[in-house]
Amino acid sequence: TVEPHPTNEVFKDRYGDCRGLSLLAGSMLQLAGISSRICLFANEFGGDPQNGLPNPSVFEHVILEILMDGGHYFVDPQAKGFDFGQWPIAYDNAHLFVIEDQGYRFDNMPVSKEEDNAIVSASDITVNPDGSAVFDVRVRMSLEGSQAFRETWASTTDKNKDKFFERLEASFTQGGTMIKREVKGLENRYGPVNFSLKYIAPNAYPVANDMILLKEADQSDVSDFAGQKRVYPIFVASNTLVKNTNTYHVPEGYQVNFVPKDYQMGIDFMDVSADYRKDGQTVVVNTLTRMKRARVSPQRYGEVKAFRNELYKKNDQYIVLKAKSQVSPQAKDWVKKQ
């Protein structure tokens, strides 16, 4: 049946599906003097309901439209961990059938904010002459990733939590040692989860003769489209951001021999950039990958492949640290005179 449960039963049982919870939330808002409307919800990729025959099964979900402060806002009472004005990324541009006092209207969900879908990280890296390094890493997860982690963590046994940290340590330390680990934000209802890790990795960077080679992790990936031609458009559905700062501390006895050039590249659905800054015995690298909601026609397929190839070239570069000469200044002067 599509008939929802009475709101008093939903309140008493502290349980309800999307219909019951939306009706209950609407009733509670009404008591607070705030108007709201029921919205039938259909995923963007299921087709526009306006173009189909009348059928209640077209809509798979129910949310609320809240009227407040001269504006209107879409809220899902069933979506845990999302504050006012936030929603799962899968809701972007979803089709809505809004039931109004004197009729109805069709509408679409807004596209979620880039900052809600952002992953931001910073690493302080002390490099050693043997290629090992001490990493002090801080990561802020996206809102949706944070909430998914919260829900999984809350239902995970202590044994499996220990296994999670064991896998985390093995993945990051590469046979080294985890010095410190901390997770903040798990106890919060909203907002991002933050990880702080400090560890020693024994084989972090290759050493070649008197050089240490530092390579940034590939900051982005574009699918390897193997075909020579493309029939369908390339479509990116949502706006996301990955922002990272790595601060490298050069070991004593070494100097920075080479730093790649800064770059900025872009195509309809992606912007990427890398900024290298050398300051004495420190190199700071800021990288950014921004995915943008966009559609690229098949006719521009060649542009996408060319963009991907150029991006791979930019990513395949090294910061080179070279051991300082052990020859004394006096000896250097003698060699010059000869």
Side-chain angles (χ1 to χ4, degrees):
T1 178
V2 296
E3 183 179 352
H5 293 284
T7 54
N8 61 331
E9 290 184 12
V10 176
F11 183 80
K12 180 181 177 181
D13 296 340
R14 296 181 178 274
Y15 174 81
D17 61 10
C18 59
R19 295 163 296 173
L21 290 174
S22 292
L23 287 169
L24 176 60
S27 298
M28 297 174 75
L29 287 167
Q30 187 177 20
L31 291 174
I34 300 173
S35 299
S36 63
R37 296 165 177 160
I38 290 291
C39 305
L40 305 185
F41 176 107
N43 186 282
E44 174 184 14
F45 304 108
D48 190 341
Q50 295 185 77
N51 300 327
L53 296 173
N55 188 340
S57 64
V58 168
F59 301 98
E60 71 267 16
H61 193 43
V62 177
I63 65 171
L64 274 182
E65 178 186 44
I66 297 176
L67 310 177
M68 189 171 65
D69 299 331
H72 68 110
Y73 309 89
F74 297 111
V75 175
D76 184 358
Q78 198 177 34
K80 295 180 180 180
F82 292 91
D83 206 347
F84 193 77
Q86 300 172 349
W87 50 83
I89 199 169
Y91 287 22
D92 286 0
N93 205 46
H95 302 287
L96 300 174
F97 181 83
V98 184
I99 302 173
E100 300 179 324
D101 294 337
Q102 302 298 323
Y104 65 88
R105 78 174 195 277
F106 287 97
D107 208 333
N108 290 87
M109 288 285 293
V111 175
S112 53
K113 302 172 186 174
E114 177 187 88
E115 55 264 32
D116 290 344
N117 304 321
I119 300 173
V120 181
S121 60
S123 299
D124 198 75
I125 306 166
T126 302
V127 183
N128 296 316
D130 62 356
S132 65
V134 179
F135 292 79
D136 195 345
V137 181
R138 299 165 300 284
V139 180
R140 190 191 75 195
M141 298 177 66
S142 67
L143 289 179
E144 188 161 355
S146 297
Q147 183 55 26
F149 188 81
R150 279 193 193 96
E151 291 186 355
T152 301
W153 196 254
S155 60
T156 299
T157 63
D158 290 341
K159 182 179 179 180
N160 284 333
K161 288 178 181 178
D162 290 338
K163 287 183 178 179
F164 166 80
F165 281 119
E166 289 173 5
R167 291 192 296 268
L168 187 75
E169 180 171 342
S171 174
F172 277 86
T173 66
Q174 306 169 49
T177 305
M178 184 70 71
I179 301 172
K180 181 189 72 175
R181 68 184 187 218
E182 187 177 17
V183 185
K184 292 183 178 180
L186 285 173
E187 70 285 357
N188 298 334
R189 185 173 181 180
Y190 305 111
V193 170
N194 294 273
F195 282 83
S196 295
L197 306 172
K198 188 172 184 179
Y199 59 92
I200 301 172
N203 300 300
Y205 303 105
V207 177
N209 297 322
D210 60 347
M211 296 183 294
I212 305 172
L213 307 177
L214 312 180
K215 187 176 186 295
E216 288 284 296
D218 289 350
Q219 60 168 316
S220 54
D221 185 34
V222 182
S223 298
D224 184 7
F225 301 107
Q228 293 301 312
K229 295 182 178 180
R230 186 173 178 87
V231 178
Y232 303 104
I234 298 169
F235 178 61
V236 174
S238 299
N239 301 318
T240 61
L241 177 69
V242 177
K243 187 177 181 181
N244 181 64
T245 299
N246 283 342
T247 302
Y248 296 97
H249 299 280
V250 179
E252 186 176 350
Y254 281 76
Q255 61 188 2
V256 181
N257 183 258
F258 175 78
V259 173
K261 292 182 179 180
D262 300 347
Y263 66 84
Q264 290 184 331
M265 299 175 58
I267 199 166
D268 300 51
F269 58 84
M270 177 186 285
D271 290 329
V272 291
S273 65
D275 175 76
Y276 297 85
R277 288 290 175 267
K278 174 186 170 185
D279 184 10
Q281 291 295 95
T282 300
V283 178
V284 179
V285 185
N286 294 295
T287 58
L288 183 147
T289 301
R290 174 178 284 114
M291 300 299 293
K292 302 178 292 183
R293 182 182 172 91
R295 185 187 301 269
V296 180
S297 69
Q299 289 75 24
R300 297 180 56 205
Y301 179 52
E303 291 181 42
V304 176
K305 296 193 73 170
F307 173 81
R308 176 185 182 275
N309 293 338
E310 184 62 25
L311 179 59
Y312 272 43
K313 292 178 185 177
K314 298 292 187 184
N315 282 334
D316 192 27
Q317 299 188 82
Y318 291 85
I319 299 168
V320 180
L321 309 182
K322 187 175 176 62
K324 296 178 181 178
S325 173
Q326 301 301 314
V327 179
S328 68
Q330 294 81 2
K332 289 182 179 179
D333 289 340
W334 183 84
V335 170
K336 287 180 181 179
K337 291 176 181 178
Q338 302 308 308

